[in-house]
């Protein structure tokens, strides 16, 4: 009486065979041309990076995908498409993009942002934010005379929400001049300097000039600002600093390059 291996044994055997074939120099042969196993490993690494677990099923799917690509690639070569100028240019751009990605990954690996740099940036941002958060309203006018007229109307009891309808700031005029909760660093210096001097419910009695025009500012409310914990924002700061480091490196290389 013949015995047959269990489904589990078959699956394990299939996985062993597939992984063993990946360990060899070639994954498969299509019309006499070998597919390097390194291609499969590269594709599997990409899938792992996206969260896919390594498994016999994944490896078999990758194998089939590479076989199909090889078949289509051979057909394209047979038709002479690899000789076309635009196709060659695209192939060179793709090759260049892969080299650039590898170079930048290597640069980041060897020039990582330090913990001290991240902490220093966190403290700097925290310092710029201050310890207070403000909720201002404003009316932006073109001339100082117009701003003075708005101040006079406020002093006479007109609500700033009504006066904001004539504001030159399209982002806040429909909200009665409301700029929402913000820290002083989010505004231009003349605006923030005037705003932080106001008491709750008070408005500027002289026009505040900036590059945008003349502001009349009312401080609707103020509250204590608590900065987010270091560990919570550390990944974002690290990513931003690393990106700045890469951009500076690229600019340095550009400055050294001989471009004619």
């Amino acid at each position: 009486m013949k015995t047959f291996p269990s489904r589990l044994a078959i699956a394990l055997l299939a996985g062993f065979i597939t992984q063993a074939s990946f360990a060899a120099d070639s994954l498969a042969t299509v019309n006499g041309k070998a597919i390097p196993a390194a291609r499969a490993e590269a594709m599997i690494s990409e899938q792992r990076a996206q969260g896919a677990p390594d498994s016999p099923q994944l490896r078999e799917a990758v194998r089939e995908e590479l076989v199909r690509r090889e078949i289509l690639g051979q057909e394209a070569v047979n038709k002479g498409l690899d000789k076309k100028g635009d196709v060659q240019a695209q192939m060179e751009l793709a090759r260049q993009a892969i080299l650039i990605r590898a170079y930048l990954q290597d640069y980041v690996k060897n020039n990582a942002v330090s913990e001290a740099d991240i902490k220093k940036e966190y403290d700097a941002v925290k310092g710029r934010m201050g310890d207070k958060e403000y909720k201002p309203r404003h009316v932006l006018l073109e001339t100082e005379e117009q701003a003075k007229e708005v101040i006079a109307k406020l002093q006479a009891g007109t609500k700033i929400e009504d006066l904001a309808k004539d504001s030159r700031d399209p982002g806040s005029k429909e909200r009665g001049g409301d700029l929402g909760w913000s820290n002083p660093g989010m505004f231009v210096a003349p605006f923030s300097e005037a705003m932080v001097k106001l008491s709750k419910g008070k408005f500027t009695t002289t026009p505040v000039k900036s590059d945008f025009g003349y502001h009349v500012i009312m401080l609707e409310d103020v509250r204590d600002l608590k900065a987010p914990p270091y560990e919570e924002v550390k990944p974002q700061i690290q990513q931003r600093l690393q990106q700045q480091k890469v951009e500076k490196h690229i600019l340095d290389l550009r400055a050294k390059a001989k471009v004619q």
Side-chain angles (χ1 to χ4, degrees):
M1 184 176 180
K2 293 183 178 180
T3 59
F4 295 91
S6 67
R7 291 185 179 180
L8 176 60
I10 292 172
L12 291 172
L13 182 61
F16 172 77
I17 293 172
T18 306
Q19 294 200 36
S21 66
F22 279 19
D25 292 337
S26 62
L27 170 68
T29 303
V30 178
N31 298 325
K33 185 175 180 181
I35 302 174
R39 291 185 191 174
E41 293 301 339
M43 186 174 285
I44 287 172
S45 294
E46 289 182 359
Q47 294 299 313
R48 284 175 179 166
Q50 296 174 19
D54 194 346
S55 67
Q57 292 79 10
L58 173 63
R59 289 179 172 267
E60 183 56 35
V62 166
R63 181 182 186 277
E64 178 60 24
E65 174 63 21
L66 290 174
V67 166
R68 291 186 181 191
R69 291 188 182 195
E70 181 60 34
I71 291 169
L72 291 170
Q74 289 183 18
E75 288 299 312
V77 171
N78 291 337
K79 290 181 69 68
L81 297 177
D82 59 321
K83 301 295 191 297
K84 294 183 65 177
D86 59 336
V87 174
Q88 289 182 341
Q90 291 176 47
M91 289 169 64
E92 182 55 32
L93 285 173
R95 174 181 174 278
Q96 191 179 59
I98 293 168
L99 282 172
I100 291 170
R101 183 175 66 178
Y103 174 79
L104 292 178
Q105 287 174 344
D106 180 73
Y107 176 81
V108 169
K109 180 181 177 182
N110 293 294
N111 296 272
V113 175
S114 69
E115 185 78 19
D117 288 337
I118 301 171
K119 188 67 169 64
K120 182 180 178 181
E121 180 64 14
Y122 171 78
D123 290 338
V125 172
K126 189 176 176 182
R128 290 195 296 269
M129 288 174 63
D131 58 358
K132 298 288 183 184
E133 195 172 22
Y134 299 82
K135 192 172 187 293
R137 289 181 185 270
H138 84 139
V139 184
L140 178 62
L141 291 311
E142 186 174 0
T143 67
E144 184 177 13
E145 197 59 39
Q146 290 172 332
K148 287 179 178 179
E149 290 175 7
V150 167
I151 291 170
K153 290 178 181 178
L154 281 172
Q155 290 171 333
T158 306
K159 292 183 177 180
I160 192 170
E161 292 91 329
D162 296 329
L163 296 171
K165 294 175 182 178
D166 296 323
S167 178
R168 298 181 66 220
D169 178 10
S172 67
K173 66 183 297 182
E174 301 302 324
R175 302 192 303 272
D178 185 10
L179 294 170
W181 286 103
S182 313
N183 67 73
M186 296 178 65
F187 301 109
V188 293
F191 188 104
S192 61
E193 289 168 4
M195 177 184 70
V196 299
K197 292 176 182 176
L198 292 172
S199 300
K200 182 178 174 179
K202 301 298 183 180
F203 55 85
T204 51
T205 55
T206 56
V208 178
K209 187 178 185 304
S210 77
D211 292 340
F212 300 101
Y214 291 86
H215 306 262
V216 178
I217 308 165
M218 172 179 279
L219 182 59
E220 193 168 80
D221 205 353
V222 61
R223 65 188 182 188
D224 291 334
L225 174 64
K226 186 177 179 181
Y230 172 68
E231 291 299 330
E232 183 180 312
V233 295
K234 176 183 172 181
Q236 295 95 308
I237 296 175
Q238 183 177 17
Q239 183 180 20
R240 179 160 55 81
L241 291 179
Q242 192 68 70
Q243 185 177 357
Q244 290 173 356
K245 202 167 190 176
V246 169
E247 289 173 353
K248 182 181 182 305
H249 177 62
I250 294 172
L251 289 174
D252 290 344
L253 291 176
R254 180 67 176 83
K256 295 175 185 176
K258 287 187 177 181
V259 180
Q260 297 177 329

